[in-house]
């Protein structure tokens, strides 16, 4: 389940007057825009041509002990590794070198102070440098911030890091590469790529209720209908039937269980499943849970079910 899908479903379970609703709607907007921006970068990268060997990796998730990072893109060459940081931020962009603050002014003149992407990129460069050191890889690391919104305007740029718009990305990548000594030692890029892919560690997000300070009791119960996009599925024999449009879906509970793990907590019981989905049969809940590849701890009424690692 993508972050955008999770936020959409979470909003379905919140009342229209819930105090966190407007904030979550903005979060959904930013998340969706961010994914569009990453898609623009990947499409633009198809124009990248370099005579030497190179490898591009997207959505790289790595971890050193308890330090996880997620990089939007990583370009591997024998001269250097370039971290590509995608930012979908519209409006006029201001980088204040005196305070190290970053802000944007939107079309209505409203100013918003935001996290400085320069800080995030430098953190990722520091991480990957350390990761390579631990793996005994001698490869310099640098980065590029790509602003993907079509209506963004640089009023000032951050010093010390490269930044550009999507249409400028290829030229900036080539400029960065040419700045490194062209007499580099022999590096097995395919081996480095394989090492990174082998060490991919998906970031474990906290449950959305915990992350957004929502009381799970505020969530509306029921099973989601993919046609009506409402919580209107009712248990009918061995299937689910939407009380609104009449569509049937024998596996509608799978999404509901996934929602529970994503929104509420990492363990579910028979009683909690029945309450979350809005039905009463203990036998049905037991059958549904045992059909899944979940780790069961305890027996009978004391059983709890967990997602396997």
């Amino acid at each position: 389940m993508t972050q955008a899908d999770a936020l959409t479903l979470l909003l379905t379970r919140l009342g229209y007057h819930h105090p966190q609703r407007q904030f979550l709607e903005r979060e959904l907007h930013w998340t969706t825009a961010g994914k569009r921006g990453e898609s623009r970068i990947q499409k633009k990268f198809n124009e990248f041509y370099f005579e030497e060997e190179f490898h591009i990796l997207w959505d790289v998730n790595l971890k050193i002990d308890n330090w996880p990072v997620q990089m939007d893109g990583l370009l591997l060459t024998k001269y250097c590794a370039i971290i590509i940081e995608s930012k979908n931020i519209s409006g006029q962009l201001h980088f204040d070198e005196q305070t190290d603050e970053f802000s944007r002014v939107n079309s209505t003149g409203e100013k918003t102070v935001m996290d400085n992407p320069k800080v995030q990129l430098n953190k990722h460069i520091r991480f990957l440098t350390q990761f390579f050191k631990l793996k005994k890889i001698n490869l310099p690391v640098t980065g590029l911030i790509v602003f993907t919104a079509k209506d963004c305007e640089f009023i000032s740029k951050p010093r010390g890091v490269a930044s550009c718009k999507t249409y400028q990305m290829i030229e900036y990548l080539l400029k960065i590469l040419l700045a490194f000594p062209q007499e580099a030692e022999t590096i097995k890029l395919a081996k480095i790529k394989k090492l990174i892919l082998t060490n991919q560690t998906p970031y474990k997000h906290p449950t959305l209720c915990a992350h957004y300070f929502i009381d799970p009791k505020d969530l509306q119960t029921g099973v989601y209908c993919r046609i009506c996009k409402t919580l209107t599925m009712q248990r009918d024999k061995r299937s689910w039937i939407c009380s609104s449009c009449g569509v049937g879906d024998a596996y509608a509970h799978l999404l509901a269980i996934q929602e529970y793990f994503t929104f509420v907590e990492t363990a579910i019981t028979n009683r909690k499943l029945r309450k979350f989905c809005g039905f009463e049969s203990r036998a049905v809940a037991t059958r549904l849970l045992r059909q899944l590849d979940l780790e069961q701890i305890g027996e009978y009424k004391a059983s709890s079910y967990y997602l396997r690692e």
Side-chain angles (χ1 to χ4, degrees):
M1 184 187 301
T2 67
Q3 185 74 356
D5 289 339
L7 287 170
T8 299
L9 290 166
L10 180 60
L11 283 165
T12 301
R13 292 187 180 272
L14 285 181
Y16 285 107
H17 301 294
H18 192 278
Q20 288 289 73
R21 186 171 187 90
Q22 285 190 339
F23 176 78
L24 289 174
E25 288 173 344
R26 289 196 298 271
E27 283 282 283
L28 176 58
H29 171 76
W30 282 108
T31 300
T32 305
K35 288 300 178 184
R36 286 199 303 266
E38 291 173 20
S39 178
R40 289 190 197 111
I41 282 181
Q42 294 179 28
K43 184 177 180 181
K44 187 66 179 178
F45 192 84
N46 291 332
E47 299 175 14
F48 182 81
Y49 175 78
F50 193 58
E51 290 184 350
E52 306 279 359
E53 178 188 4
F54 70 89
H55 298 276
I56 183 68
L57 301 172
W58 302 109
D59 192 21
V60 177
N61 294 268
L62 296 172
K63 189 175 182 182
I64 299 175
D65 297 328
N66 293 320
W67 181 11
V69 300
Q70 185 274 329
M71 292 173 274
D72 298 322
L74 178 61
L75 175 61
L76 298 173
T77 76
K78 71 177 184 179
Y79 305 113
C80 66
I82 304 176
I83 297 169
I84 302 173
E85 194 72 40
S86 169
K87 293 298 175 187
N88 193 302
I89 304 174
S90 59
Q92 296 181 334
L93 310 182
H94 299 254
F95 289 87
D96 190 325
E97 292 302 321
Q98 297 297 320
T99 62
D100 212 22
E101 292 277 13
F102 167 64
S103 61
R104 72 91 178 258
V105 177
N106 65 16
S107 57
T108 64
E110 179 185 4
K111 179 180 179 180
T112 305
V113 177
M114 312 175 79
D115 289 347
N116 192 334
K118 171 183 172 180
V119 175
Q120 184 179 36
L121 179 61
N122 284 335
K123 180 190 73 173
H124 288 171
I125 291 173
R126 189 170 71 253
F127 173 94
L128 192 59
T129 300
Q130 181 64 23
F131 180 85
F132 282 168
K133 183 179 179 180
L134 292 172
K135 302 299 181 182
K136 295 181 170 53
I137 297 171
N138 186 21
L139 188 64
V141 181
T142 186
L144 174 65
I145 305 170
V146 183
F147 289 86
T148 59
K150 295 179 179 179
D151 57 346
C152 71
E153 177 188 4
F154 287 115
I155 302 303
S156 58
K157 277 192 169 188
R159 294 178 185 172
V161 297
S163 58
C164 67
K165 298 183 182 182
T166 306
Y167 78 92
Q168 301 169 316
M169 181 180 70
I170 303 302
E171 284 66 31
Y172 270 71
L173 289 173
L174 293 172
K175 184 178 179 181
I176 291 170
L177 287 173
L178 292 174
F180 281 84
Q182 297 301 293
E183 295 297 327
E185 63 179 86
T186 302
I187 293 177
K188 297 180 180 179
L189 291 179
K191 187 175 181 180
I192 297 175
K193 176 183 177 181
K194 183 178 179 181
L195 178 69
I196 291 173
L197 293 176
T198 302
N199 282 272
Q200 282 270 57
T201 306
Y203 179 68
K204 292 185 178 180
H205 294 274
T207 61
L208 293 189
C209 283
H211 184 68
Y212 292 115
F213 304 101
I214 296 171
D215 188 337
K217 294 178 182 177
D218 294 344
L219 301 183
Q220 298 176 15
T221 60
V223 175
Y224 186 75
C225 173
R226 297 179 187 273
I227 304 300
C228 297
K229 303 188 185 305
T230 53
L231 302 168
T232 47
M233 300 297 279
Q234 302 292 323
R235 190 67 184 170
D236 182 33
K237 296 180 181 178
R238 289 184 174 269
S239 186
W240 298 89
I241 304 295
C242 178
S243 61
S244 179
C245 69
V247 70
D249 183 354
Y251 303 103
H253 59 282
L254 298 180
L255 178 59
I257 294 172
Q258 189 178 10
E259 285 181 84
Y260 188 89
F261 286 136
T262 304
F263 302 159
V264 185
E265 58 182 336
T266 57
I268 193 168
T269 64
N270 185 299
R271 181 181 64 82
K272 289 176 180 177
L273 174 62
R274 287 182 283 128
K275 183 177 180 181
F276 190 75
C277 293
F279 66 94
E280 297 181 357
S281 173
R282 170 175 286 276
V284 169
T286 298
R287 185 168 65 250
L288 296 179
L289 287 168
R290 289 181 176 173
Q291 287 174 354
L292 306 178
D293 185 27
L294 300 174
E295 181 180 356
Q296 181 179 347
I297 297 178
E299 297 181 351
Y300 306 111
K301 292 184 179 181
S303 294
S304 293
Y305 299 84
Y306 299 78
L307 288 173
R308 295 187 185 276
E309 293 292 335

